[in-house]
Short mmCIF file of all heavy atoms in Angstrom, two decimals:
data_model
loop_
_atom_site.label_atom_id
_atom_site.label_comp_id
_atom_site.label_asym_id
_atom_site.label_seq_id
_atom_site.Cartn_x
_atom_site.Cartn_y
_atom_site.Cartn_z
N MET A 1 205.71 40.74 120.33
CA MET A 1 204.37 40.29 119.95
C MET A 1 204.05 38.94 120.59
O MET A 1 202.98 38.71 121.09
CB MET A 1 204.25 40.13 118.43
CG MET A 1 203.70 41.36 117.71
SD MET A 1 202.15 42.02 118.34
CE MET A 1 200.97 41.60 117.07
N SER A 2 205.03 38.01 120.58
CA SER A 2 204.76 36.67 121.05
C SER A 2 205.03 36.52 122.56
O SER A 2 205.04 35.44 123.08
CB SER A 2 205.60 35.66 120.28
OG SER A 2 206.96 35.97 120.41
N LYS A 3 205.30 37.63 123.20
CA LYS A 3 205.55 37.60 124.63
C LYS A 3 204.29 37.11 125.36
O LYS A 3 203.25 37.75 125.31
CB LYS A 3 205.92 39.00 125.12
CG LYS A 3 206.77 38.99 126.37
CD LYS A 3 207.34 40.39 126.56
CE LYS A 3 207.27 40.82 128.00
NZ LYS A 3 207.58 42.23 128.12
N VAL A 4 204.43 36.00 126.01
CA VAL A 4 203.25 35.43 126.67
C VAL A 4 203.20 35.92 128.12
O VAL A 4 204.10 35.69 128.90
CB VAL A 4 203.30 33.89 126.64
CG1 VAL A 4 202.08 33.32 127.37
CG2 VAL A 4 203.34 33.39 125.20
N SER A 5 202.14 36.62 128.41
CA SER A 5 201.91 37.03 129.78
C SER A 5 200.49 36.69 130.16
O SER A 5 199.68 36.35 129.31
CB SER A 5 202.16 38.53 129.93
OG SER A 5 201.35 39.23 129.04
N LYS A 6 200.22 36.79 131.41
CA LYS A 6 198.87 36.46 131.87
C LYS A 6 197.89 37.51 131.36
O LYS A 6 197.88 38.65 131.82
CB LYS A 6 198.85 36.41 133.40
CG LYS A 6 198.36 35.07 133.89
CD LYS A 6 198.21 35.10 135.38
CE LYS A 6 197.63 33.78 135.88
NZ LYS A 6 197.48 33.79 137.33
N LYS A 7 197.14 37.12 130.38
CA LYS A 7 196.19 38.06 129.79
C LYS A 7 194.81 37.44 129.79
O LYS A 7 194.61 36.31 129.39
CB LYS A 7 196.60 38.34 128.34
CG LYS A 7 197.06 39.77 128.15
CD LYS A 7 197.35 40.02 126.68
CE LYS A 7 198.43 41.10 126.52
NZ LYS A 7 198.87 41.24 125.16
N ARG A 8 193.90 38.23 130.22
CA ARG A 8 192.51 37.78 130.17
C ARG A 8 191.74 38.75 129.29
O ARG A 8 191.80 39.96 129.49
CB ARG A 8 191.89 37.78 131.57
CG ARG A 8 192.29 36.58 132.39
CD ARG A 8 191.50 36.57 133.67
NE ARG A 8 191.93 37.65 134.57
CZ ARG A 8 191.15 38.20 135.48
NH1 ARG A 8 189.91 37.84 135.60
NH2 ARG A 8 191.61 39.15 136.25
N PHE A 9 191.06 38.23 128.32
CA PHE A 9 190.29 39.11 127.46
C PHE A 9 188.87 39.25 128.01
O PHE A 9 188.29 38.30 128.51
CB PHE A 9 190.24 38.57 126.03
CG PHE A 9 191.51 38.85 125.27
CD1 PHE A 9 192.57 37.96 125.34
CD2 PHE A 9 191.65 40.00 124.53
CE1 PHE A 9 193.75 38.22 124.67
CE2 PHE A 9 192.82 40.27 123.85
CZ PHE A 9 193.87 39.38 123.92
N ILE A 10 188.38 40.45 127.93
CA ILE A 10 187.04 40.70 128.43
C ILE A 10 186.04 40.46 127.31
O ILE A 10 185.99 41.20 126.33
CB ILE A 10 186.92 42.16 128.94
CG1 ILE A 10 188.02 42.44 129.97
CG2 ILE A 10 185.53 42.39 129.53
CD1 ILE A 10 188.12 43.90 130.36
N ALA A 11 185.29 39.40 127.46
CA ALA A 11 184.35 39.01 126.41
C ALA A 11 183.25 40.05 126.27
O ALA A 11 182.63 40.47 127.24
CB ALA A 11 183.75 37.65 126.73
N GLY A 12 183.04 40.48 125.05
CA GLY A 12 181.94 41.39 124.77
C GLY A 12 182.25 42.85 125.05
O GLY A 12 181.43 43.71 124.81
N ALA A 13 183.45 43.13 125.56
CA ALA A 13 183.79 44.52 125.87
C ALA A 13 184.22 45.26 124.60
O ALA A 13 184.88 44.70 123.73
CB ALA A 13 184.90 44.57 126.91
N VAL A 14 183.85 46.51 124.53
CA VAL A 14 184.19 47.31 123.36
C VAL A 14 185.19 48.40 123.77
O VAL A 14 185.00 49.09 124.76
CB VAL A 14 182.93 47.95 122.75
CG1 VAL A 14 183.28 48.84 121.57
CG2 VAL A 14 181.94 46.88 122.34
N CYS A 15 186.23 48.55 122.98
CA CYS A 15 187.22 49.59 123.26
C CYS A 15 186.57 50.95 123.09
O CYS A 15 185.96 51.24 122.06
CB CYS A 15 188.41 49.43 122.32
SG CYS A 15 189.58 50.79 122.47
N PRO A 16 186.71 51.83 124.08
CA PRO A 16 186.09 53.16 123.98
C PRO A 16 186.77 54.03 122.93
O PRO A 16 186.21 55.05 122.52
CB PRO A 16 186.29 53.74 125.39
CG PRO A 16 187.42 52.97 125.98
CD PRO A 16 187.40 51.61 125.35
N LYS A 17 187.95 53.65 122.51
CA LYS A 17 188.68 54.48 121.56
C LYS A 17 188.45 54.05 120.11
O LYS A 17 188.04 54.83 119.27
CB LYS A 17 190.18 54.44 121.88
CG LYS A 17 190.95 55.59 121.28
CD LYS A 17 192.41 55.50 121.70
CE LYS A 17 193.22 56.62 121.09
NZ LYS A 17 194.65 56.46 121.39
N CYS A 18 188.71 52.78 119.82
CA CYS A 18 188.61 52.32 118.43
C CYS A 18 187.35 51.49 118.17
O CYS A 18 187.10 51.09 117.04
CB CYS A 18 189.86 51.55 118.03
SG CYS A 18 190.03 49.96 118.86
N LYS A 19 186.56 51.27 119.23
CA LYS A 19 185.28 50.57 119.13
C LYS A 19 185.40 49.13 118.67
O LYS A 19 184.41 48.54 118.23
CB LYS A 19 184.32 51.32 118.17
CG LYS A 19 184.24 52.81 118.40
CD LYS A 19 183.52 53.13 119.68
CE LYS A 19 183.35 54.64 119.86
NZ LYS A 19 183.14 55.00 121.26
N ALA A 20 186.59 48.57 118.77
CA ALA A 20 186.75 47.17 118.43
C ALA A 20 186.22 46.30 119.56
O ALA A 20 186.29 46.69 120.73
CB ALA A 20 188.22 46.85 118.18
N MET A 21 185.69 45.15 119.21
CA MET A 21 185.11 44.29 120.23
C MET A 21 186.03 43.13 120.57
O MET A 21 186.75 42.63 119.70
CB MET A 21 183.75 43.76 119.76
CG MET A 21 182.89 43.27 120.91
SD MET A 21 181.40 42.46 120.33
CE MET A 21 180.19 43.68 120.81
N ASP A 22 186.01 42.72 121.83
CA ASP A 22 186.80 41.59 122.31
C ASP A 22 188.30 41.81 122.14
O ASP A 22 189.06 40.87 121.93
CB ASP A 22 186.40 40.30 121.57
CG ASP A 22 185.00 39.85 121.94
OD1 ASP A 22 184.50 40.26 122.99
OD2 ASP A 22 184.41 39.09 121.16
N THR A 23 188.73 43.07 122.21
CA THR A 23 190.16 43.34 122.08
C THR A 23 190.76 43.84 123.38
O THR A 23 191.94 44.12 123.47
CB THR A 23 190.41 44.41 121.00
OG1 THR A 23 189.73 45.59 121.38
CG2 THR A 23 189.90 43.95 119.64
N LEU A 24 189.92 43.97 124.41
CA LEU A 24 190.40 44.47 125.68
C LEU A 24 190.95 43.34 126.53
O LEU A 24 190.25 42.41 126.89
CB LEU A 24 189.27 45.20 126.42
CG LEU A 24 188.70 46.43 125.71
CD1 LEU A 24 187.60 47.06 126.55
CD2 LEU A 24 189.78 47.44 125.43
N ALA A 25 192.25 43.45 126.81
CA ALA A 25 192.91 42.42 127.60
C ALA A 25 193.19 42.95 129.00
O ALA A 25 193.63 44.08 129.19
CB ALA A 25 194.22 42.01 126.94
N LEU A 26 192.93 42.11 129.96
CA LEU A 26 193.13 42.48 131.35
C LEU A 26 194.48 41.93 131.80
O LEU A 26 194.74 40.74 131.73
CB LEU A 26 191.99 41.89 132.17
CG LEU A 26 191.72 42.47 133.55
CD1 LEU A 26 191.40 43.96 133.46
CD2 LEU A 26 190.56 41.74 134.19
N THR A 27 195.34 42.81 132.25
CA THR A 27 196.64 42.37 132.74
C THR A 27 196.87 42.95 134.13
O THR A 27 196.25 43.95 134.51
CB THR A 27 197.77 42.83 131.82
OG1 THR A 27 197.69 44.24 131.65
CG2 THR A 27 197.70 42.15 130.46
N LYS A 28 197.78 42.33 134.86
CA LYS A 28 198.04 42.82 136.21
C LYS A 28 199.49 43.25 136.30
O LYS A 28 200.40 42.51 135.95
CB LYS A 28 197.75 41.72 137.23
CG LYS A 28 197.38 42.28 138.58
CD LYS A 28 196.78 41.19 139.44
CE LYS A 28 196.11 41.79 140.68
NZ LYS A 28 195.54 40.75 141.55
N GLU A 29 199.68 44.48 136.74
CA GLU A 29 201.01 45.03 136.87
C GLU A 29 201.13 45.72 138.22
O GLU A 29 200.37 46.63 138.52
CB GLU A 29 201.25 46.06 135.75
CG GLU A 29 202.46 45.72 134.88
CD GLU A 29 202.60 46.70 133.74
OE1 GLU A 29 202.92 47.86 134.00
OE2 GLU A 29 202.34 46.29 132.59
N ASN A 30 202.09 45.28 138.99
CA ASN A 30 202.27 45.87 140.32
C ASN A 30 200.97 45.91 141.11
O ASN A 30 200.63 46.90 141.74
CB ASN A 30 202.84 47.28 140.21
CG ASN A 30 204.16 47.30 139.46
OD1 ASN A 30 204.97 46.39 139.60
ND2 ASN A 30 204.36 48.31 138.65
N ASN A 31 200.24 44.81 141.02
CA ASN A 31 198.98 44.68 141.74
C ASN A 31 197.88 45.62 141.26
O ASN A 31 196.88 45.82 141.91
CB ASN A 31 199.19 44.89 143.24
CG ASN A 31 199.38 43.56 143.96
OD1 ASN A 31 199.06 42.51 143.40
ND2 ASN A 31 199.89 43.59 145.16
N VAL A 32 198.11 46.24 140.10
CA VAL A 32 197.09 47.11 139.52
C VAL A 32 196.57 46.47 138.24
O VAL A 32 197.35 46.09 137.37
CB VAL A 32 197.66 48.51 139.20
CG1 VAL A 32 196.59 49.38 138.56
CG2 VAL A 32 198.19 49.16 140.46
N GLU A 33 195.29 46.32 138.17
CA GLU A 33 194.69 45.74 136.97
C GLU A 33 194.67 46.78 135.86
O GLU A 33 194.24 47.92 136.05
CB GLU A 33 193.27 45.29 137.26
CG GLU A 33 193.21 44.27 138.38
CD GLU A 33 192.95 42.87 137.90
OE1 GLU A 33 191.78 42.50 137.80
OE2 GLU A 33 193.92 42.15 137.60
N LYS A 34 195.15 46.35 134.72
CA LYS A 34 195.19 47.25 133.58
C LYS A 34 194.40 46.64 132.44
O LYS A 34 194.50 45.44 132.18
CB LYS A 34 196.63 47.43 133.11
CG LYS A 34 197.28 48.70 133.58
CD LYS A 34 198.59 48.85 132.84
CE LYS A 34 199.47 49.91 133.48
NZ LYS A 34 200.80 49.87 132.89
N VAL A 35 193.67 47.48 131.77
CA VAL A 35 192.95 47.02 130.59
C VAL A 35 193.62 47.63 129.37
O VAL A 35 193.74 48.84 129.25
CB VAL A 35 191.46 47.43 130.63
CG1 VAL A 35 190.73 46.92 129.40
CG2 VAL A 35 190.80 46.88 131.89
N THR A 36 194.10 46.78 128.49
CA THR A 36 194.78 47.25 127.30
C THR A 36 194.05 46.77 126.05
O THR A 36 193.73 45.60 125.92
CB THR A 36 196.23 46.74 127.26
OG1 THR A 36 196.87 47.06 128.49
CG2 THR A 36 196.99 47.37 126.10
N CYS A 37 193.82 47.69 125.13
CA CYS A 37 193.26 47.31 123.84
C CYS A 37 194.41 46.85 122.96
O CYS A 37 195.37 47.58 122.76
CB CYS A 37 192.53 48.49 123.21
SG CYS A 37 191.95 48.12 121.54
N VAL A 38 194.30 45.63 122.45
CA VAL A 38 195.39 45.07 121.66
C VAL A 38 195.40 45.63 120.24
O VAL A 38 196.34 45.42 119.48
CB VAL A 38 195.32 43.53 121.61
CG1 VAL A 38 195.54 42.95 122.99
CG2 VAL A 38 194.01 43.05 121.02
N VAL A 39 194.37 46.34 119.87
CA VAL A 39 194.29 46.90 118.52
C VAL A 39 194.92 48.30 118.46
O VAL A 39 195.80 48.57 117.66
CB VAL A 39 192.83 46.96 118.02
CG1 VAL A 39 192.72 47.70 116.70
CG2 VAL A 39 192.28 45.54 117.88
N CYS A 40 194.47 49.19 119.33
CA CYS A 40 194.95 50.57 119.25
C CYS A 40 195.90 50.93 120.39
O CYS A 40 196.50 51.99 120.39
CB CYS A 40 193.77 51.55 119.23
SG CYS A 40 192.89 51.64 120.79
N GLY A 41 196.04 50.03 121.36
CA GLY A 41 196.99 50.27 122.43
C GLY A 41 196.47 51.13 123.56
O GLY A 41 197.21 51.50 124.46
N GLU A 42 195.19 51.45 123.50
CA GLU A 42 194.58 52.24 124.56
C GLU A 42 194.71 51.52 125.89
O GLU A 42 194.45 50.33 125.99
CB GLU A 42 193.10 52.48 124.21
CG GLU A 42 192.29 53.13 125.31
CD GLU A 42 192.47 54.64 125.35
OE1 GLU A 42 193.38 55.14 124.68
OE2 GLU A 42 191.68 55.30 126.03
N GLN A 43 195.13 52.26 126.91
CA GLN A 43 195.30 51.64 128.22
C GLN A 43 194.43 52.32 129.26
O GLN A 43 194.32 53.53 129.31
CB GLN A 43 196.77 51.73 128.65
CG GLN A 43 197.59 50.57 128.15
CD GLN A 43 198.87 50.40 128.96
OE1 GLN A 43 199.27 51.29 129.68
NE2 GLN A 43 199.50 49.26 128.82
N MET A 44 193.81 51.49 130.07
CA MET A 44 193.00 52.01 131.15
C MET A 44 193.39 51.29 132.43
O MET A 44 193.55 50.08 132.44
CB MET A 44 191.52 51.76 130.87
CG MET A 44 190.98 52.54 129.67
SD MET A 44 189.66 51.63 128.85
CE MET A 44 190.61 50.53 127.81
N VAL A 45 193.56 52.05 133.46
CA VAL A 45 193.84 51.43 134.75
C VAL A 45 192.54 51.43 135.55
O VAL A 45 191.94 52.45 135.79
CB VAL A 45 194.93 52.21 135.52
CG1 VAL A 45 195.18 51.57 136.87
CG2 VAL A 45 196.21 52.24 134.69
N GLN A 46 192.13 50.23 135.90
CA GLN A 46 190.85 50.11 136.58
C GLN A 46 190.94 49.08 137.67
O GLN A 46 191.70 48.13 137.58
CB GLN A 46 189.75 49.70 135.59
CG GLN A 46 189.51 50.75 134.53
CD GLN A 46 188.32 50.37 133.67
OE1 GLN A 46 188.06 49.20 133.44
NE2 GLN A 46 187.60 51.35 133.19
N THR A 47 190.13 49.26 138.65
CA THR A 47 190.02 48.22 139.65
C THR A 47 189.16 47.11 139.08
O THR A 47 188.41 47.32 138.12
CB THR A 47 189.35 48.74 140.93
OG1 THR A 47 188.00 49.11 140.62
CG2 THR A 47 190.09 49.94 141.47
N GLU A 48 189.27 45.96 139.66
CA GLU A 48 188.52 44.82 139.14
C GLU A 48 187.01 45.12 139.19
O GLU A 48 186.26 44.72 138.33
CB GLU A 48 188.83 43.58 139.98
CG GLU A 48 188.73 42.32 139.16
CD GLU A 48 189.61 41.21 139.72
OE1 GLU A 48 190.63 41.51 140.35
OE2 GLU A 48 189.27 40.06 139.53
N GLU A 49 186.62 45.83 140.19
CA GLU A 49 185.21 46.17 140.36
C GLU A 49 184.73 47.03 139.19
O GLU A 49 183.64 46.82 138.66
CB GLU A 49 185.02 46.94 141.67
CG GLU A 49 183.61 46.87 142.23
CD GLU A 49 183.55 47.58 143.56
OE1 GLU A 49 184.04 47.01 144.56
OE2 GLU A 49 183.06 48.70 143.59
N GLN A 50 185.54 47.99 138.79
CA GLN A 50 185.17 48.87 137.68
C GLN A 50 185.12 48.11 136.37
O GLN A 50 184.26 48.33 135.54
CB GLN A 50 186.16 50.02 137.57
CG GLN A 50 185.94 51.09 138.61
CD GLN A 50 187.04 52.14 138.57
OE1 GLN A 50 188.22 51.82 138.48
NE2 GLN A 50 186.66 53.40 138.63
N VAL A 51 186.07 47.21 136.19
CA VAL A 51 186.09 46.41 134.98
C VAL A 51 184.83 45.57 134.88
O VAL A 51 184.20 45.49 133.84
CB VAL A 51 187.34 45.50 134.95
CG1 VAL A 51 187.25 44.49 133.81
CG2 VAL A 51 188.59 46.33 134.82
N GLU A 52 184.47 44.99 136.01
CA GLU A 52 183.25 44.19 136.03
C GLU A 52 182.04 45.03 135.64
O GLU A 52 181.15 44.58 134.95
CB GLU A 52 183.04 43.63 137.44
CG GLU A 52 183.30 42.13 137.52
CD GLU A 52 183.24 41.63 138.94
OE1 GLU A 52 182.19 41.79 139.55
OE2 GLU A 52 184.25 41.12 139.43
N LYS A 53 182.05 46.25 136.12
CA LYS A 53 180.94 47.16 135.82
C LYS A 53 180.87 47.41 134.32
O LYS A 53 179.80 47.37 133.71
CB LYS A 53 181.15 48.48 136.57
CG LYS A 53 179.84 49.09 137.06
CD LYS A 53 180.06 50.49 137.59
CE LYS A 53 180.26 50.53 139.09
NZ LYS A 53 180.58 51.90 139.56
N VAL A 54 182.01 47.66 133.72
CA VAL A 54 182.06 47.91 132.28
C VAL A 54 181.56 46.70 131.51
O VAL A 54 180.76 46.81 130.59
CB VAL A 54 183.51 48.25 131.84
CG1 VAL A 54 183.64 48.23 130.33
CG2 VAL A 54 183.91 49.61 132.38
N VAL A 55 182.02 45.53 131.93
CA VAL A 55 181.60 44.30 131.26
C VAL A 55 180.10 44.14 131.36
O VAL A 55 179.41 43.81 130.41
CB VAL A 55 182.31 43.08 131.88
CG1 VAL A 55 181.71 41.78 131.34
CG2 VAL A 55 183.80 43.14 131.57
N ARG A 56 179.56 44.42 132.54
CA ARG A 56 178.13 44.27 132.74
C ARG A 56 177.35 45.27 131.88
O ARG A 56 176.30 44.95 131.33
CB ARG A 56 177.77 44.48 134.21
CG ARG A 56 177.23 43.18 134.77
CD ARG A 56 177.11 43.20 136.27
NE ARG A 56 177.98 42.22 136.87
CZ ARG A 56 178.57 42.40 138.04
NH1 ARG A 56 178.42 43.50 138.70
NH2 ARG A 56 179.32 41.46 138.53
N GLN A 57 177.88 46.46 131.75
CA GLN A 57 177.25 47.47 130.90
C GLN A 57 177.12 46.95 129.48
O GLN A 57 176.09 47.07 128.84
CB GLN A 57 178.10 48.75 130.88
CG GLN A 57 177.62 49.80 131.85
CD GLN A 57 178.57 50.99 131.88
OE1 GLN A 57 179.46 51.08 131.06
NE2 GLN A 57 178.36 51.89 132.82
N HIS A 58 178.22 46.35 129.01
CA HIS A 58 178.23 45.86 127.64
C HIS A 58 177.29 44.68 127.48
O HIS A 58 176.66 44.52 126.44
CB HIS A 58 179.65 45.49 127.22
CG HIS A 58 180.50 46.69 126.98
ND1 HIS A 58 180.17 47.63 126.04
CD2 HIS A 58 181.64 47.13 127.56
CE1 HIS A 58 181.09 48.59 126.07
NE2 HIS A 58 181.98 48.30 126.99
N GLU A 59 177.21 43.89 128.54
CA GLU A 59 176.28 42.77 128.49
C GLU A 59 174.85 43.27 128.32
O GLU A 59 174.06 42.71 127.59
CB GLU A 59 176.40 41.94 129.77
CG GLU A 59 177.55 40.96 129.70
CD GLU A 59 177.79 40.25 131.02
OE1 GLU A 59 177.12 40.60 132.00
OE2 GLU A 59 178.65 39.39 131.05
N GLN A 60 174.59 44.37 129.00
CA GLN A 60 173.25 44.95 128.89
C GLN A 60 173.02 45.49 127.48
O GLN A 60 171.96 45.32 126.92
CB GLN A 60 173.09 46.08 129.91
CG GLN A 60 172.79 45.54 131.31
CD GLN A 60 172.89 46.61 132.37
OE1 GLN A 60 173.07 47.78 132.06
NE2 GLN A 60 172.80 46.21 133.62
N VAL A 61 174.03 46.14 126.96
CA VAL A 61 173.91 46.70 125.61
C VAL A 61 173.67 45.58 124.60
O VAL A 61 172.81 45.67 123.74
CB VAL A 61 175.19 47.49 125.22
CG1 VAL A 61 175.17 47.84 123.74
CG2 VAL A 61 175.28 48.75 126.06
N ILE A 62 174.43 44.48 124.76
CA ILE A 62 174.25 43.34 123.86
C ILE A 62 172.83 42.81 123.99
O ILE A 62 172.19 42.47 123.01
CB ILE A 62 175.30 42.24 124.19
CG1 ILE A 62 176.68 42.72 123.74
CG2 ILE A 62 174.95 40.93 123.49
CD1 ILE A 62 177.82 41.90 124.32
N GLY A 63 172.33 42.79 125.24
CA GLY A 63 170.98 42.30 125.47
C GLY A 63 169.94 43.12 124.72
O GLY A 63 168.99 42.59 124.18
N VAL A 64 170.17 44.43 124.65
CA VAL A 64 169.22 45.31 123.97
C VAL A 64 169.15 44.96 122.48
O VAL A 64 168.10 45.02 121.87
CB VAL A 64 169.65 46.79 124.15
CG1 VAL A 64 168.83 47.72 123.24
CG2 VAL A 64 169.48 47.22 125.60
N PHE A 65 170.32 44.59 121.95
CA PHE A 65 170.35 44.32 120.50
C PHE A 65 169.90 42.91 120.15
O PHE A 65 169.83 42.57 118.98
CB PHE A 65 171.76 44.57 119.97
CG PHE A 65 172.03 46.02 119.75
CD1 PHE A 65 172.68 46.78 120.71
CD2 PHE A 65 171.62 46.65 118.58
CE1 PHE A 65 172.92 48.13 120.53
CE2 PHE A 65 171.85 48.00 118.40
CZ PHE A 65 172.49 48.74 119.37
N LYS A 66 169.61 42.13 121.16
CA LYS A 66 169.13 40.77 120.89
C LYS A 66 167.77 40.80 120.25
O LYS A 66 166.88 41.51 120.71
CB LYS A 66 169.07 40.00 122.21
CG LYS A 66 170.10 38.88 122.28
CD LYS A 66 169.92 38.11 123.56
CE LYS A 66 171.20 37.36 123.93
NZ LYS A 66 171.14 36.87 125.29
N PRO A 67 167.56 40.08 119.19
CA PRO A 67 166.25 40.08 118.54
C PRO A 67 165.19 39.32 119.35
O PRO A 67 165.51 38.49 120.14
CB PRO A 67 166.50 39.36 117.22
CG PRO A 67 167.75 38.59 117.39
CD PRO A 67 168.53 39.22 118.52
ZN1 ZN B 6 191.13 50.15 120.89
#
């Protein structure tokens, strides 16, 4: 649990499995970017470009809900 590795959390991203927010951590393994949900353990392997796309999608969704 306390193993410290280079983790970047994707702000505003929602896990597609458990729908938790801000739980998706971006890690790099063997030069492959991995997105791991720290709540349910869901793992997605994505290129940085795809991750950015997902983040942007969520930003748009958040924008829609802005009053
Ligand atoms: Zn999850």
Side-chain angles (χ1 to χ4, degrees):
M1 266 308 251
S2 57
K3 206 167 138 191
V4 179
S5 56
K6 237 186 176 180
K7 247 184 209 172
R8 281 187 289 154
F9 282 88
I10 306 171
V14 177
C15 173
K17 199 178 179 186
C18 69
K19 313 290 184 202
M21 200 188 251
D22 292 339
T23 59
L24 298 181
L26 199 59
T27 55
K28 207 166 193 181
E29 238 176 69
N30 303 323
N31 265 343
V32 178
E33 301 254 271
K34 260 190 194 171
V35 180
T36 307
C37 175
V38 295
V39 173
C40 70
E42 172 82 347
Q43 272 200 345
M44 294 149 277
V45 179
Q46 296 186 328
T47 65
E48 211 154 332
E49 203 176 285
Q50 283 174 315
V51 170
E52 252 174 59
K53 216 189 265 175
V54 168
V55 171
R56 245 168 244 147
Q57 262 175 9
H58 286 301
E59 277 173 355
Q60 280 169 6
V61 169
I62 288 165
V64 169
F65 280 96
K66 248 184 202 167

